[in-house]
Amino acid sequence: MSAIPDLPGPRGRRLSIPTTRAVLASVSALAIVIATGTALILGELRSRQIADAQREVANVSRLLAEQTARTLQSVDFILKGAIERVREGQARPQLMEQTTVRALMQARISGVPYVRALCIFDPQGRLSLHSHVHPAPKLYAGDRDYFKVHMENPGYGLYIDKPARSRLTGEWTIQLSRRIDGPGGEFQGVFSAALNPAHFEALYRALDLGRNSSISLFLRDGTLLVRYPREESLIGRSFADSPAFQALAHPDHDIEGARVLRTTGANATLTGVREVGPFPLVIAVSRSEEALLAQWRRDAVLIAFGAAVVTLLLAAAGIVLARELSREAAMGRALRDSEARLSGIVQSAMDAIITADENQRIVLFNPAAERVFRCPAAEAIGSPLERFIPERFRAAHRHHVEQFGTTGATSRKMGDLTVLYGLRADGEEFPIDASISQVVVGGKKLYTVVLRDITLRRQAEEDLRESHDRLRELTAALESVREDERARISRELHDELGQQLTALRMDVSWLASRLSSSQPALLEKLNGMKATIDATVRATRQISAELRPLVLSELGLVAAAEWLVQDFSRRTGIKAELDLDLDEHDLTLDDRLATAMFRALQESLTNVARHSRASRVDVCLAAPDGALVLKVQDNGRGMAPGEERKSGSFGLLGMRERVQALGGKVVVRSSPGKGTTVEVSVPLASVAAGGVP
């Protein structure tokens, strides 16, 4: 067999055909690998971006659903409380006057700007009382859906109507309503609250999700209640057949409790759909996929461009290598060039990448690391890795890296249970998210850490916590305003109206004493007037005491608790005992704390009377170990697990909010047939400091 002739090479050297082809084939294969790897990386980055966006819209929909539920619960609490007070007034010998009821309605919604008005409709659908307009205008609601539902369905509960324009003001309004039942369960009308949709629009506007985004609130049947950006023509329309509502039927699209729908095409969007707690509402958050993937597109262009450059350089290096294969030095240079170009992938990475040797000294510091730590690579390479770790964490970090080196694992996430911090060259600390991997090269172990600065993410989390704190502060402020208003009304009823009624009774008695017995009809009439005045005085005092007992303001918590327990036992026939283990003369109580404890005792006793079927209640008020503790224990039927959190139960919820605002806690222990114990404790130090520590 004849030998294959050699081809002339540079400088008179000759290269064999098989060697040249092998080099070119290797370069081509490497280019294919780089192109394939680049495509896979871009695809993975895109998938992660979309997954992060899906979690984002799911979280936003969850937060909006929780806020919407709180708003509706507060309105329902107002309706139920007002209905209860009206029913209590109807049960007394002397019925509550319309002026008193209107004052009650106005007090209920004072400080609640998103409730425009409260209205009471009689059984025929006629408006009988309006919280802000007197006399009530001649309006008819018998043709409204909410009136028909309550009239035909006893025990329906809270009804949320479709949006409609108010017949009084012409503004868009969402009616929330409850049925008013008589003593025998007969239909006596409807109590409704006019909710302002602009409240939700302002909330959605504050989120600022970006261009081509929208937030919508629907009824469960698909009727649009509120939308931002607002489109007037869409309000009240049904979207039950839209893809967003169809997504509710697909549990495989569930992300953190929300159904996330992704549409494709020119106007591709990601929509998070979530039901609003116990209410027949659905919140939908839509974001444009184009806006969500804008950063990925920019990264993709850079990565693809870098990969193309690397591929072209590798091709050039292959040609040079094929031509200079006979020269060992040229082959070494080509190999170093190839390695340098491959390292460009690491150099162009967006995350900081640091490689350290087995002695934890830095051997690689990419540009992203330079930007994150504000330190040039020339200064960082060769220095110990712990230089970029706050001093208080260095010993633990060194131990963890050494321990990781002995595990044999190739990689793991750092800081799974704790927050990691980095140290910039200028001394600034910042939170990081990091992972570590290890590899053995040439018999020596190398550790590579990939990390990113999560300062903005932590700030966003802190902003969210601050938002929750502000909402809690708002709740506390509303409670304070409500208590002040109740105290003012109670004081005016007791001081002004009570004194006037007393003077009126004295005048009537004076007239009666000057009539002769020859006028029995007139004497009988005056005696009847005195009885009516006496009943009115008693009703006024009862209303004043229920709003805020004067004994609480004048004599303090201990006297108020004694009065409340005695009054409870007298009204219900349930035996109630109060055990006091404190000396209020030696214990200075903040007015907020005294009010919170009194309202907690009042709510606990109300629950006992309504639900427990108990024959005995033991109340203990003590101050052990620097805390004020209230304990209410009954021997009633108890509660099943989770019953205290059932829909429509706001008494314990309000109690918890009031106590938590003071840095305290509420613990409820109960089981069926074994009674219920409610324990409220508030550290006195936190109240003295001005609230939650």
Side-chain angles (χ1 to χ4, degrees), residues 120-200:
I120 298 179
F121 294 92
D122 63 17
Q124 288 72 40
R126 296 186 299 268
L127 179 62
S128 60
L129 274 179
H130 190 283
S131 60
H132 293 86
V133 181
H134 183 74
K138 295 182 179 181
L139 294 180
Y140 178 72
D143 56 343
R144 295 290 197 181
D145 290 343
Y146 63 87
F147 188 89
K148 296 177 181 178
V149 168
H150 288 307
M151 182 174 63
E152 299 170 359
N153 299 277
Y156 183 89
L158 180 68
Y159 182 83
I160 304 175
D161 199 11
K162 297 178 180 180
R165 290 191 180 276
S166 171
R167 292 174 175 173
L168 188 60
T169 64
E171 298 175 321
W172 281 107
T173 300
I174 301 173
Q175 291 289 342
L176 277 66
S177 57
R178 278 189 171 272
R179 173 185 170 114
I180 304 176
D181 288 328
E186 69 276 14
F187 178 62
Q188 288 194 343
V190 173
F191 213 127
S192 72
L195 188 62
N196 186 0
H199 167 74
F200 297 104

Side-chain angles (χ1 to χ4, degrees), residues 55-68:
R55 284 191 292 271
E56 180 183 350
V57 297
N59 284 331
V60 172
S61 65
R62 175 178 60 81
L63 293 175
L64 290 176
E66 291 174 354
Q67 181 61 36
T68 302

Side-chain angles (χ1 to χ4, degrees), residues 403-417:
Q403 187 178 31
F404 172 67
T406 62
T407 61
T410 57
S411 64
R412 77 174 184 189
K413 191 178 186 302
M414 303 176 69
D416 287 335
L417 301 177

Side-chain angles (χ1 to χ4, degrees), residues 94-113:
Q94 183 65 28
L95 296 179
M96 296 174 65
E97 297 180 352
Q98 286 195 352
T99 303
T100 304
V101 177
R102 286 190 64 249
L104 170 65
M105 294 165 66
Q106 292 174 350
R108 288 284 175 178
I109 62 174
S110 63
V112 186

